[in-house]
Amino acid sequence: LHLGVTPSVIRQRYNLTAQDVGSGTTNNSQACAQFLEQYFHASDLAEFMRLFGGNFAHQESVARVVGQQGRGRAGIEASLDVEYLMSAGANISTWVYSSPGRHESQEPFLQWLLLLSNESALPHVHTVSYGDDEDSLSSAYIQRVNTEFMKAAARGLTLLFASGDSGAGCWSVSRRHQFRPSFPASSPYVTTVGGTSFQNPFRVTTEIVDYISGGGFSNVFPQPSYQEEAVAQFLSSSPHLPPSSYFNASGRAYPDVAALSDGYWVVSNSVPIPWVSGTSASTPVFGGILSLINEHRLLSGLPPLGFLNPRLYQQRGAGLFDVTRGCHESCLNEEVQGQGFCSGPGWDPVTGWGTPNFPALLKALIKP
Amino acid sequence: SYSPEPDQQRTLPPGWVSLGRVDSEEELSLTFALRQQNVERLSKLVQAVSDPGSPHYGKYLTLEDVAELVRPSPLTFRTVQKWLSAAGARNCHSVTTQDFLTCWLSVRQAELLLSGAEFHRYVRGPAEIHVIRSLRPYQLPKALAPHVDFVGGLHRFPPTSSLRQRPEPQVSGTVG
């Protein structure tokens, strides 16, 4: 029994033992970035670990904070990102990027991209909670940002983006409803993380879809070859497909993976806060687990995982718990009645290939 | 002239309130995304280092390698720098890959440089987050079309959090 998601619940569900922590002997590192102009307080992390970090080795503080900190109130998102990245990827050097203090005329997310292009030594894994509706951004901007993700992938950085919290999304195009994809979740050069819930919210049990989990098909980026087979499999076998006019079946489909996104405990401004939900919770959890796998790879003299998707789809989601129950939300109308896509066996546009089963995922990704 | 971002949404996002036009002598920091080279080759390199079946799998580039590949052409550099310095831009900073340039200009200079733009100050929510943005489209001289992808700091507002605190789940017949 449990009363909400804490590090122990995460580590139990994803089969992380007390030994599954960073060794402290490698140059392994991870980072989380949020652009909500929120502050992160080191005292919150210390309090969080005092409350919830008792049964695994962990670091008490972050290695580096990029962006001014400390003066304003802490934000829940900034607190949650760090606390769960450092609980799943425990005892691994962690950076926090939050952009308070930038000039009023600057764009926080763009400033983060400039940082990526200006620092040679960066953490291997970056978890990012940021998304905009694809249709609200200019194609010049979207294409350029996509190239920035290519630059990061070429350098072996793993970029994980939250898939969004509006399910398939919904908007009206020439008076017809359509699903509304989100960017950067729809970029073919990042790994996108969806969200799940426990079937019984008070037990560590099977995971089902969290109805908010962002997912769908890009209207900007064509489907990358690495996922064509998996997507075709889904489209030919799902018994609950929405009308084809709602989505672009030839677009980049997302998310790629998922993790719990429902009912988290967070400490912010020294106050423990329950039942916090969103894919910006599942993203640092998945990122921390990839950092642990990088730890084993580095200890074996192997390079870090880098851009994960080609390998993830080639291995057909080996090492992940397949989530096959539940659907996410979408347009509230007669035609789809609020239901977007539904999960199913294998890959699906709600939870991707599924959620991490650490020992099995390590076995699948430790090979050269 | 031409508009680099005709399809960028320019409506005021919910929660933001205009505080009016910014004084023309105030300073702005704007980011210019310069046109890169060899993007196609970069895409192929990403596939090579990310595909487990490739002999180059895991053989990643350094930042300097990436810079070597995508850095803008000398013509792009010269054209953009001449254009910016003629407009009075100063304290320009580049990045290792040289494909972004961040410069300081007064509002007056920026509105002359990016014709059509009109800078206003906006504020959001209890945290009193302030931004300066233009909801009007900007245009660049046609000669810049091959050299500038877009200008950052005009239209896009900081995102809002989508985290939510849900009510405690009620599961009948279990934990009291």
Side-chain angles (χ1 to χ4, degrees), chain A residues 77 107 138 144 151 165 262, chain B residues 5 34 99 153 161-162 164:
Chain A
E77 191 124 8
E107 296 181 30
S138 66
R144 176 55 187 263
K151 287 160 66 179
D165 297 335
D262 188 12
Chain B
E5 301 188 82
L34 274 58
D99 45 8
S161 174
S162 57
R164 56 192 90 179

Side-chain angles (χ1 to χ4, degrees), chain A residues 31-360:
Chain A
C32 56
Q34 51 84 19
F35 310 102
L36 301 166
E37 314 291 291
Q38 292 188 359
Y39 290 96
F40 148 72
H41 287 176
S43 54
D44 284 338
L45 175 63
E47 175 64 8
F48 179 84
M49 290 300 184
R50 190 183 67 78
L51 286 174
F52 303 116
N55 50 11
F56 58 93
H58 57 266
Q59 298 195 353
E60 292 289 340
S61 58
V62 298
R64 180 172 166 191
V65 178
V66 182
Q68 289 177 20
Q69 287 305 309
R71 286 192 317 278
R73 280 174 54 79
I76 279 199
E77 191 124 8
S79 307
L80 175 138
D81 280 354
V82 194
E83 289 163 6
Y84 282 90
L85 181 60
M86 293 180 75
S87 300
N91 205 34
I92 291 171
S93 173
T94 303
W95 294 19
V96 174
Y97 180 91
S98 64
S99 50
R102 57 162 181 83
H103 188 268
E104 291 172 295
S105 60
Q106 287 175 329
E107 296 181 30
F109 179 62
L110 193 56
Q111 294 308 307
W112 178 71
L113 291 175
L114 267 72
L115 174 97
L116 293 189
S117 275
N118 214 28
E119 297 247 357
S120 299
L122 284 171
H124 300 308
V125 173
H126 297 257
T127 67
V128 187
S129 312
Y130 158 64
D132 262 319
D133 294 322
E134 244 186 15
D135 56 273
S136 73
L137 300 168
S138 66
S139 49
Y141 173 83
I142 279 193
Q143 294 299 340
R144 176 55 187 263
V145 171
N146 195 49
T147 303
E148 298 307 306
F149 296 151
M150 275 196 234
K151 287 160 66 179
R155 295 167 64 193
L157 304 182
T158 301
L159 302 185
L160 293 152
F161 277 83
S163 69
D165 297 335
S166 314
C170 186
W171 63 317
S172 232
V173 184
S174 43
R175 292 145 53 112
R176 284 196 50 78
H177 276 154
Q178 280 183 6
F179 295 159
R180 195 172 204 184
S182 169
F183 180 83
S186 64
S187 164
Y189 291 99
V190 303
T191 297
T192 306
V193 185
T196 62
S197 302
F198 279 127
Q199 189 170 313
N200 174 336
F202 298 107
R203 286 190 180 282
V204 180
T205 64
T206 319
E207 291 168 81
I208 59 174
V209 165
D210 183 348
Y211 67 88
I212 61 167
S213 179
F217 293 76
S218 173
N219 292 321
V220 173
F221 298 104
Q223 203 157 98
S225 54
Y226 63 70
Q227 66 171 186
E228 281 169 348
E229 184 193 329
V231 174
Q233 171 67 29
F234 170 77
L235 293 174
S236 63
S237 60
S238 171
H240 307 286
L241 272 190
S244 56
S245 62
Y246 276 71
F247 62 98
N248 167 28
S250 63
R252 170 346 191 204
Y254 69 93
D256 306 296
V257 295
L260 279 166
S261 58
D262 188 12
Y264 278 71
W265 279 94
V266 183
V267 171
S268 195
N269 297 302
S270 309
V271 177
I273 301 165
W275 309 117
V276 176
S277 301
T279 50
S280 34
S282 54
T283 306
V285 166
F286 205 98
I289 286 178
L290 289 186
S291 293
L292 285 179
I293 291 171
N294 273 340
E295 181 77 14
H296 286 268
R297 288 179 61 87
L298 295 170
L299 286 169
S300 314
L302 294 170
L305 288 165
F307 175 44
L308 186 62
N309 288 10
R311 180 162 191 167
L312 183 76
Y313 283 83
Q314 242 178 64
Q315 296 186 183
R316 306 185 56 72
L320 296 170
F321 291 120
D322 193 4
V323 179
T324 58
R325 282 193 47 199
C327 311
H328 63 184
E329 61 188 3
S330 76
C331 303
L332 288 171
N333 64 22
E334 278 299 302
E335 220 168 355
V336 295
Q337 295 173 31
Q339 183 173 293
F341 295 100
C342 297
S343 63
W347 178 90
D348 59 64
V350 191
T351 59
W353 288 103
T355 62
N357 174 6
F358 177 71

Side-chain angles (χ1 to χ4, degrees), chain B residues 4 19 29 35 45 79 83 105-106 125 129 133 139 142 146 171-172:
Chain B
L19 299 177
S29 164
R35 186 67 42 83
L45 271 169
T79 308
W83 173 60
L105 302 98
S106 71
I129 294 172
R133 293 293 188 273
Q139 306 237 316
K142 216 163 189 66
V171 183
S172 58

Side-chain angles (χ1 to χ4, degrees), chain A residues 297 303 305 311 368, chain B residues 48-60:
Chain A
R297 288 179 61 87
L305 288 165
R311 180 162 191 167
Chain B
V49 302
S50 311
D51 176 356
S54 151
H56 301 286
Y57 179 67
K59 293 185 173 56
Y60 302 124

